[in-house]
């Protein structure tokens, strides 16, 4: 079919698809959140993949993310008319073919490398979990409530007020330690915040999160250089150092066994996963004696450091891969990725041929959909805009769009 689908909702996410014929012969439809671009039969095999790549290029993505309406995030949308009025660099058809072939070759290598990096990251996590299980699984389990000096306590909800007493943000809780610099000014005084002050050795647990993998995450306070309180989104646990080392609690809390308990017991309300004091207090984990805990923490610190170096290397490689993808697309549509051949049919002649084909087919101007039609997206017909007199560019409206139902790619 060689239709190009452009997602209009939340365009910060780069979602552009090229459709291909499927095994089913039933009519296909597309959500109204997709703009469907269809090209003339004589050029679609080349132009559709070319335009699809251009719509993923830095130039177009930077434009579309800034040309949206709506409040925030997933509620932002780009308008079809604005997208269709964007200019696309149009080289000769044969050069388009060479650009697509070069991009396909290079980007497929990047995709393979990115997949390898993803697998490597998961293997590092599995290695850490397997090692921690082997180090601790022989010891008798206890519940969290059994190793605390006092009961678990919730923080307090505090509005923001410039110059007020500082309160932690939820982002202060990492996978390891609390970053007390991540705070805001709260609408309360020091006397109000005193019962909620963060102290060295406190173990802070996220009470709620939109991601199941982050709810119940625990972070250890290793120092508190400035007075700061914890908010209502956090539950505090105070380890009894005669029973458990705070560092051991941090370590064992990240284990797969603990995560499974938390995630299986978390409750969700309006898309937010939450845990409470009762759930957290009942979480079980193996507990050796204090001397063994010290040895295990020393060993784990070395293992964690080595794994951290590997994880950092993977992260740097991912960023380099993203940068290289960005550069390849930018160079391709600046005319610097493949050689140009003056013997190729000029772009002006190509556009004239497309225009003549559209006129012969009786393609009309862009039609508005009747408000009483079915909610399925119809691919509309748009008028070919003539190229600017001094450049080889054409509006996206050069893509013809017969009225047919299209399939949403999964």
């Amino acid at each position: 079919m060689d239709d190009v689908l452009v997602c209009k909702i939340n365009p910060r996410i780069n979602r552009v698809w090229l459709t291909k014929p499927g095994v089913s012969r039933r009519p296909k439809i597309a959500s109204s959140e997709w703009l469907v671009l269809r090209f003339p039969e004589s050029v679609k095999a080349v132009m559709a993949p070319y335009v699809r790549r251009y719509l993923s290029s830095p130039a177009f993505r930077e434009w579309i993310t800034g040309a949206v309406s709506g409040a925030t995030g997933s509620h932002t949308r780009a308008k079809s008319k604005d997208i269709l009025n964007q200019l696309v660099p149009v080289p000769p058809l044969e050069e388009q073919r060479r650009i697509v072939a070069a991009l396909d070759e290079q980007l497929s290598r990047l995709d393979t490398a990115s997949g390898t990096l993803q697998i490597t990251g998961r293997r590092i996590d599995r290695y850490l979990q397997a090692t921690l299980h082997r180090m601790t699984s022989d010891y008798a389990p206890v519940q969290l409530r059994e190793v605390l000096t006092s009961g678990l306590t919730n923080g307090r909800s505090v509005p923001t007020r410039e110059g007020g007493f500082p309160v932690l943000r939820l982002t202060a809780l990492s996978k390891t330690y609390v970053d007390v610099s991540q705070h805001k000014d709260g609408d309360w005084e020091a006397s109000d915040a005193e019962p909620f002050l963060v102290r060295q050795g406190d173990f802070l647990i996220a009470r709620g999160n939109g991601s199941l993998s982050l709810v119940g995450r625990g972070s250890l306070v290793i120092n508190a250089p400035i007075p700061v309180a914890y908010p209502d989104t956090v539950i505090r646990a105070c380890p009894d150092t005669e029973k458990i080392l705070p560092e051991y609690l941090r370590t064992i809390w990240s284990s797969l066994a603990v995560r499974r308990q938390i995630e299986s017991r978390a409750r969700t309300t309006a898309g937010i996963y939450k845990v409470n004091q009762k759930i957290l207090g009942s979480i079980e984990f193996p507990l050796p004696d204090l001397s063994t805990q010290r040895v295990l923490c020393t060993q784990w610190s070395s293992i964690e450091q080595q794994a951290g170096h590997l994880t950092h290397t993977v992260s740097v490689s991912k960023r380099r891969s993203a940068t290289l993808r960005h550069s390849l697309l930018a160079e391709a549509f600046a005319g610097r990725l493949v050689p140009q051949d003056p013997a190729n049919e000029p772009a002006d002649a190509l556009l004239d041929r497309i225009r003549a084909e559209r006129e012969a087919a009786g393609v009309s101007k862009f039609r508005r959909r009747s408000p009483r039609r079915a909610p399925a997206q119809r691919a509309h017909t748009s008028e070919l805009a003539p190229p600017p007199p001094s450049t080889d560019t054409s509006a996206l409206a050069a893509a013809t769009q017969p009225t047919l139902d299209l399939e949403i790619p999964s």
Side-chain angles (χ1 to χ4, degrees):
M1 292 177 65
D2 294 311
D3 293 328
V4 176
L5 304 184
V6 187
C7 187
K8 298 183 290 183
I9 188 171
N10 192 12
R12 291 183 298 109
I13 303 175
N14 189 350
R15 289 176 289 199
V16 182
W17 300 89
L18 179 65
T19 66
K20 292 294 183 181
V23 295
S24 173
R25 296 183 179 180
R26 296 179 179 178
K28 311 299 191 297
I29 63 173
S31 162
S32 60
E33 299 297 350
W34 295 91
L35 173 63
V36 183
L37 304 177
R38 180 164 293 175
F39 298 80
E41 190 68 27
S42 63
V43 297
K44 70 177 184 179
V46 176
M47 288 199 75
Y50 173 83
V51 172
R52 175 242 180 162
R53 290 298 188 190
Y54 176 76
L55 296 179
S56 295
S57 70
F60 183 80
R61 299 319 303 180
E62 289 172 9
W63 169 80
I64 196 172
T65 53
V68 296
S69 58
T72 57
S74 61
H75 296 99
T76 58
R77 285 173 174 80
K79 296 180 179 179
S80 298
K81 182 178 179 181
D82 293 339
I83 295 174
L84 291 170
N85 283 331
Q86 284 302 298
L87 297 179
V88 177
V90 179
L93 197 63
E94 286 304 312
E95 186 175 336
Q96 293 181 40
R97 194 190 307 275
R98 293 194 295 273
I99 289 173
V100 171
L103 285 175
D104 285 350
E105 179 183 1
Q106 300 300 331
L107 294 181
S108 65
R109 293 176 179 176
L110 274 180
D111 290 340
T112 300
S114 297
T116 301
L117 291 173
Q118 294 287 352
I119 293 172
T120 302
R122 290 195 294 269
R123 285 177 175 173
I124 293 172
D125 290 339
R126 286 199 296 269
Y127 164 75
L128 288 172
Q129 291 298 336
T131 303
L132 185 56
H133 176 74
R134 186 174 61 252
M135 293 169 63
T136 60
S137 59
D138 291 337
Y139 302 103
V142 298
Q143 292 185 338
L144 177 62
R145 62 168 61 95
E146 299 175 39
V147 294
L148 303 179
T149 57
S150 59
L152 295 160
T153 54
N154 286 29
R156 177 174 162 182
S157 177
V158 184
T160 302
R161 176 174 63 83
E162 186 176 356
F165 194 86
V167 59
L168 290 176
R169 300 181 185 274
L170 190 57
T171 53
L173 274 63
S174 72
K175 293 175 63 176
T176 52
Y177 303 105
V178 175
D179 180 4
V180 295
S181 67
Q182 294 286 325
H183 64 264
K184 68 174 185 177
D185 294 340
D187 188 13
W188 58 350
E189 304 301 329
S191 57
D192 302 318
E194 199 278 332
F196 307 98
L197 288 179
V198 169
R199 300 184 294 268
Q200 183 177 353
D202 283 349
F203 190 67
L204 304 184
I205 305 171
R207 187 168 68 90
N209 201 288
S211 173
L212 183 59
S213 64
L214 295 179
V215 65
R217 167 185 278 188
S219 295
L220 180 63
V221 180
I222 55 174
N223 60 64
I226 59 172
V228 62
Y230 62 99
D232 67 319
T233 54
V234 169
I235 295 177
R236 175 165 65 183
C238 299
D240 183 347
T241 55
E242 295 184 358
K243 298 178 180 178
I244 187 170
L245 299 178
E247 184 65 28
Y248 179 79
L249 177 57
R250 177 198 73 81
T251 299
I252 200 64
W253 198 260
S254 65
S255 69
L256 184 60
V258 168
R259 283 306 316 166
R260 284 173 174 169
Q261 293 177 70
I262 292 173
E263 293 181 10
S264 66
R265 302 176 193 180
R267 301 292 179 262
T268 179
T269 304
I272 302 297
Y273 294 95
K274 293 183 178 181
V275 290
N276 54 34
Q277 296 178 18
K278 182 178 179 180
I279 291 174
L280 294 176
S282 66
I283 299 298
E284 292 186 345
F285 49 81
L287 184 70
D289 58 67
L290 288 174
S291 61
T292 304
Q293 290 180 43
R294 291 189 182 93
V295 173
L296 291 176
C297 287
T298 300
Q299 295 174 345
W300 183 251
S301 177
S302 176
I303 293 170
E304 203 172 38
Q305 186 176 22
Q306 295 173 22
H309 290 320
L310 292 174
T311 301
H312 175 72
T313 300
V314 170
S315 297
V316 170
S317 298
K318 287 181 178 179
R319 290 195 295 271
R320 288 176 176 172
S321 174
T323 300
L324 182 54
R325 181 181 297 272
H326 186 285
S327 298
L328 280 169
L329 289 166
E331 291 296 291
F333 297 104
R336 295 189 290 265
L337 184 63
V338 299
Q340 299 178 3
D341 186 350
N344 291 153
E345 177 190 41
D348 286 344
L350 169 64
L351 294 174
D352 288 342
R353 183 156 56 86
I354 293 174
R355 187 180 297 108
E357 184 175 337
R358 287 167 53 85
E359 292 174 353
V363 176
S364 60
K365 293 186 177 181
F366 185 89
R367 295 186 301 167
R368 296 187 180 274
R369 186 177 63 186
S370 168
R372 290 192 293 178
R373 293 181 68 179
Q377 165 76 12
R378 305 299 190 210
H380 298 294
T381 302
S382 59
E383 184 179 20
L384 175 69
S390 60
T391 61
D392 285 342
T393 58
S394 164
L396 276 182
T400 67
Q401 300 174 63
T403 304
L404 289 174
D405 293 331
L406 302 174
E407 183 178 23
I408 307 172
S410 58

